[in-house]
Each structure stands twice: as C-alpha cells, then as structure tokens.
Amino acid sequence: MAPDPEGRDQRSRLEEAILGERPTLTGAEVVERAGVDPDQARRLWRSLGFPELDGEPGSTDAGGTTTTIGFTEADVAAVRDLYATAGEGLIDLDTAVNLTRAVGQTMSRLAEWEVATLVTRIEELEAQGYGVTAREDGTAGTPPTRADLALRLVKDIGSGFETMLVYAWRRHLAAAVARLEALGAADEDLHVAHVTVGFADIVSFTALSNTLEHDRIGDLVELFEQRCHDVVRNDRGRVIKSIGDSVLFLHDDPVGAMRSAEGIIRVIGKDRKMPDVRVGLASGTVSLRMGDVFGPPVNLAARLTAVARRNRVIIDAATAELLPPSYETWRLPARPVRGFGLIEPVAVRRS
C-alpha cells in the first residue's frame, strides 16, 4: 500500500482508528508498565487469542512480512486488569484463563464476521460511486479509496456497536444464569442437563457446492444459518454452533425441539430457492462445557440426519417416548449407525 502524507500505510490508519491510538509499545514495555509477572501475563494474553507479548512494533517475521506487533496504553490497562482479576476474590489464574479464552474465541469469530460484512458493504458503496463528487468542469472527481470507506464505516459503527456488545453480553449472561438456577433448583449436576438435541444439515451439500460460485455458496450457508437461528430462538431453543452446512441446537423439551425441526424444514426445505434439509433429534443427558454440549445424544442426532429423507425429521426412541399423542411415531427397520451399532430410527409426524 502507498504511504499517506504522515508516512503510515492505510492498514496503520485503520488500526489506529479502531484502537483509538497508535501502537508504539513493545511487549516488554507492556509487561513492565503493567507491573505484572511476565509468564502469567503471557498466559492470559495468549488465552485471549493474541500473539506473544514480544517483538518490536512493525517488526518483520521470518518471511519478511511486516506484522502488527505494536501495543498501546490500552493493552497495558488490559493486562493489568486481567492480572488483577486473577488475583482477587474467588477467581484464580486458571479460572481467569478459561474466561478470557471464551472471550478471545468469541470476539475473534465476531471480528471476522464483522469484517466480512463490512467488506461486502464497501464493495456495494464502490459500485454505487459513493463519495464521488463532481468537479467544476462537470467531470467526476477522484473516488475515495477502500481504506477511506473502511475508515468511514469504522467511525459510523464505533461506540454504538460497543454499547450493543455489552448489552447483548449482559442479556445472554442473565439467561445463562437463569438456566443454571433451574438446574440447581432440581438438585442436578450443574454441568449436565437432560435435553433434546437437534442437528440440521443441508442435503448433498458437497455436490451442491461444486456447482455454485464461491459467493453463492457463502450466501447460501449464511441464509441457512440465519433461518435456523431465527426458528430455534423463536421456539425458545438454543443454537449451540454452526458447523459448515449444519446447525446444532437444543431444547429443554422434545416438543420445542420438534417445533424447531418442523420450522427449519418449512422455511428452508419447502422454499424452492433453498436446498433440501434433514433434521435428526435425540434426547438424553449431555455435558455442558465451554458453551458447547457433548454426549451420546449429540452424536446420535448428527448420525440420524444420514437416515432421514429429504425435508423429514428422524428421531430416536427416547424422544419418541417423550412426545405427546399429538405426534404419531413409527419405528423404521434397524440399521447400523456408526458408533451406536444397530438402532431403530423413528419417523414422526403430527397426528
């Protein structure tokens, strides 16, 4: 990139706009100013998903590529606060590392998602000729660079988006605590839950993706995930994660899971502009760890999608026993399912 009048390239301008100040400190200076133990500081810093606290600002790696290693006074404050949190009250260093790792992984994915969205918007603004003004002679002036457009977008989303992040975190934290209290009231292990797990995936996605352009594949998966999330949340379920062309969700009760499964098929499989889908449901005890779920019901729900026909729901026997009479179920012929041996899948429909 060409340097600007102050000798900084466009990437530096963006970095400074986002961070609010120019990175000028080394990792050693961050540790020294924060007054913390270097080894523990590095452990907490790594848990956030960042490079090591070493190197000089603007140094190059072995391949000769300039890397963003410089730090700011905000980094000093962050390291100091992280270290203080790990040394006060009931929070020890290991707990602090687990919490910061959750923040780091979540924020990393959020940042990648935001950048992808903003890049799309920048391309749209370029195509629309945004920011191009007419000269005195009537001809079009010089259009803004992509960096200029990116800087404008960064300023526009600024503090308002930060406020929304904290708000959303508090709301989700309150909901998670409420679920934890419900488990505690039932005198159950707070690390396990009895739920119905759902697994929805796109039929023949590999073959389908081979026939689509890259942009179209991304748009398709994004719309698939969006509609799954909307349906599950509307039925008071939780989407645990998206795995490529699949979505893993769970409900506290099988009826809610069935509503979500039917809704996903309705808004995706029945839409002629969307691909076919399959949904598998399995009920039982799962382990709750690091925002994820583990256990036989998770694996079985995923395996059942391979049994389901296009735009159909297949469930396990445990889920069938929990459904009310408003649902008709019937066992299908036994078949081998990887990791479970022979099982009898159960087909289901509303009576």
Side-chain angles (χ1 to χ4, degrees):
M1 296 182 181
D4 64 14
E6 298 180 2
R8 289 173 289 152
D9 61 27
Q10 295 174 349
R11 185 177 67 180
S12 297
R13 292 168 58 205
L14 277 171
E15 182 184 58
E16 185 173 337
I18 294 169
L19 296 178
E21 55 184 313
R22 187 178 182 184
T24 59
L25 303 177
T26 66
E29 289 172 332
V30 170
V31 172
E32 180 181 359
R33 295 192 185 199
V36 300
D37 177 86
D39 291 335
Q40 292 187 356
R42 289 190 179 92
R43 185 180 176 194
L44 287 168
W45 192 254
R46 286 197 303 269
S47 70
L48 282 172
F50 297 131
E52 288 285 353
L53 282 168
D54 54 18
E56 298 290 334
S59 63
T60 58
D61 59 21
T65 301
T66 300
T67 56
T68 307
I69 299 180
F71 300 97
T72 69
E73 291 294 341
D75 294 318
V76 174
V79 170
R80 184 188 297 122
D81 290 344
L82 282 172
Y83 192 81
T85 299
E88 296 179 357
L90 301 177
I91 302 297
D92 58 14
L93 182 62
D94 289 339
T95 302
V97 167
N98 284 334
L99 291 174
T100 54
R101 182 176 293 114
V103 172
Q105 291 179 0
T106 302
M107 291 299 107
S108 175
R109 186 163 188 262
L110 175 61
E112 294 291 344
W113 195 334
E114 288 177 357
V115 168
T117 301
L118 294 179
V119 165
T120 299
R121 181 55 181 157
I122 288 172
E123 292 174 342
E124 293 173 350
L125 292 173
E126 280 187 315
Q128 295 166 7
Y130 177 85
V132 179
T133 57
R135 298 191 181 96
E136 293 183 359
D137 61 4
T139 61
T142 302
T145 66
R146 289 188 172 185
D148 292 330
L149 292 173
L151 283 167
R152 175 63 186 275
L153 288 174
V154 167
K155 292 178 181 178
D156 285 350
I157 66 175
S159 59
F161 197 79
E162 286 187 35
T163 301
M164 185 179 69
L165 283 177
V166 176
Y167 163 76
W169 167 68
R170 289 185 180 277
R171 293 296 301 177
H172 282 292
L173 183 61
V177 169
R179 290 193 294 269
L180 191 65
E181 287 181 342
L183 285 175
D187 294 326
E188 297 186 11
D189 185 340
L190 299 183
H191 291 295
V192 300
H194 301 283
V195 297
T196 297
V197 179
F199 200 89
D201 75 346
I202 298 175
V203 177
S204 303
F205 179 74
T206 301
L208 178 64
S209 62
N210 288 336
T211 66
L212 300 175
E213 296 180 354
H214 291 297
D215 288 346
R216 173 59 178 148
I217 296 172
D219 292 342
L220 176 65
V221 172
E222 183 177 344
L223 185 57
F224 166 72
E225 291 183 1
Q226 176 187 318
R227 291 189 179 184
C228 286
H229 279 245
D230 289 346
V231 167
V232 173
R233 288 169 180 163
N234 188 58
D235 292 321
R236 299 184 180 278
R238 283 181 283 160
V239 173
I240 301 301
K241 58 185 175 183
S242 300
I243 315 167
D245 61 327
S246 305
V247 168
L248 174 66
F249 63 93
L250 61 81
H251 276 267
D252 294 332
D253 69 282
V255 175
M258 276 299 307
R259 286 199 302 266
S260 289
E262 294 168 330
I264 289 171
I265 290 172
R266 182 175 61 255
V267 302
I268 299 175
K270 300 299 183 181
D271 184 341
R272 293 184 179 180
K273 297 180 180 179
M274 294 292 290
D276 294 327
V277 293
R278 301 175 294 197
V279 183
L281 300 179
S283 299
T285 302
V286 298
S287 176
L288 309 172
R289 290 290 190 280
M290 300 174 292
D292 208 340
V293 293
F294 307 90
V298 179
N299 301 325
L300 183 54
R303 300 284 187 268
L304 288 175
T305 58
V307 177
R309 296 170 57 192
R310 294 171 181 265
N311 303 323
R312 294 290 188 273
V313 182
I314 289 292
I315 63 178
D316 69 339
T319 303
E321 292 177 359
L322 296 171
L323 290 175
S326 56
Y327 287 96
E328 178 185 358
T329 63
W330 63 98
R331 291 179 180 269
L332 300 176
R335 64 197 67 194
V337 174
R338 184 160 55 91
F340 292 90
L342 281 176
I343 68 166
E344 292 182 327
V346 180
V348 59
R349 67 185 176 193
R350 288 184 181 270
S351 302

